[in-house]
Amino acid sequence: MGIIQNSGVVHVDGHVSTVFGRDSHQDEGEGWSITARPYRGAPEADAIPADFLCNTGENTCFLAGNRVRMADGSRKAIELLHVGDLVLTMQGPDRVRAVEQPRLGMSRKVIELRGLGDDCLVISDEHPLWVRRRAADGKSNETWGTYNLHHLMYELRNSIEPRLPALPVPMQIDIPEQLAHETGWVYAQPIYHHLPPSTQLYNIATDKGCAIFVEGFAAFSHCLGSLIPAAGWTGLDGRPPAQDLLRKLELHDA
């Protein structure tokens, strides 16, 4: 690509804006023009996944190897989970009721979020995460947030699951966000990865808890219960031990 140059300034709504351009002669020599960009050709028809828009519905997804916090406190790779397994959610232990294996598709990217220690969450960029924002009045507000609102809107429109009562807030890609974590809250900023549309992803749906812990982060899970965790998240410390919660769950099912 030709060298970007300062082509002058313009005034927009009373503000000075800089206009940038490229050296057209150098662009032409390198094969760049307004009608030809040496990027990539259209994919072959048989190379496009059937779910190129992840159009199987409710699929916010994780890459294999992401570790899910189980109800007994252990961690298990998401691709190894089965229906009936007990996982830990922000609302307490819950059962896995479905396992999904969609493809990445062409309208999503994969992002990496670094947590504490070796926590490394690698997910599709539309997956809602529980985020805390400070309002203009200084009060903190907790809600679902996403790094790809447009694709999530598509998923919600085609979802057969209970839908979120409100759209998640779009999250900043250049400023760390305060995300819910097993330990309370951590600041994280996404690192983007470009993977093939055919990349295999994994997701689970739970019964009642809408936020599972994956690599320590509180991530949205399709559930049949409340879709909004209780506000005022402070982490797992100080909450009833997992065994006590499991005992309550067993008594409830008895």
Side-chain angles (χ1 to χ4, degrees), residues 60-128:
T60 49
C61 317
F62 305 88
L63 265 71
N66 280 282
R67 299 165 297 177
V68 179
R69 181 67 67 187
M70 308 302 290
D72 63 1
S74 64
R75 282 181 169 185
K76 192 174 185 179
I78 192 164
E79 70 273 19
L80 302 179
L81 292 178
H82 301 284
V83 172
D85 285 348
L86 287 174
V87 297
L88 190 60
T89 74
M90 291 179 78
Q91 292 95 330
D94 202 357
R95 283 194 173 90
V96 175
R97 62 181 175 84
V99 177
E100 303 163 346
Q101 297 184 13
R103 303 286 180 174
L104 177 62
M106 298 179 68
S107 57
R108 302 187 290 178
K109 291 184 174 63
V110 166
I111 58 173
E112 170 188 339
L113 293 166
R114 291 284 179 172
L116 302 177
D118 65 347
D119 289 344
C120 181
L121 179 65
V122 187
I123 58 173
S124 55
D125 60 355
E126 93 292 357
H127 200 122

Side-chain angles (χ1 to χ4, degrees), residues 123-177:
I123 58 173
S124 55
D125 60 355
E126 93 292 357
H127 200 122
L129 300 168
W130 196 241
V131 61
R132 182 165 66 182
R133 294 275 187 80
R134 189 173 299 278
D137 60 4
K139 296 181 179 180
S140 294
N141 179 44
E142 298 177 23
T143 186
W144 289 114
T146 177
Y147 288 105
N148 186 347
L149 182 59
H150 291 92
H151 184 92
L152 184 61
M153 290 170 64
Y154 166 81
E155 285 190 14
L156 294 176
R157 188 171 65 251
N158 292 276
S159 175
I160 60 175
E161 295 286 352
R163 301 181 181 182
L164 290 168
L167 283 176
V169 298
M171 294 199 290
Q172 307 279 357
I173 63 173
D174 59 335
I175 301 175
E177 293 275 5

Side-chain angles (χ1 to χ4, degrees), residues 9-30:
V9 297
V10 295
H11 293 270
V12 180
D13 296 331
H15 299 282
V16 176
S17 297
T18 302
V19 179
F20 292 96
R22 292 201 303 268
D23 186 325
S24 58
H25 296 292
Q26 185 172 347
D27 278 356
E28 183 178 0
E30 295 180 358

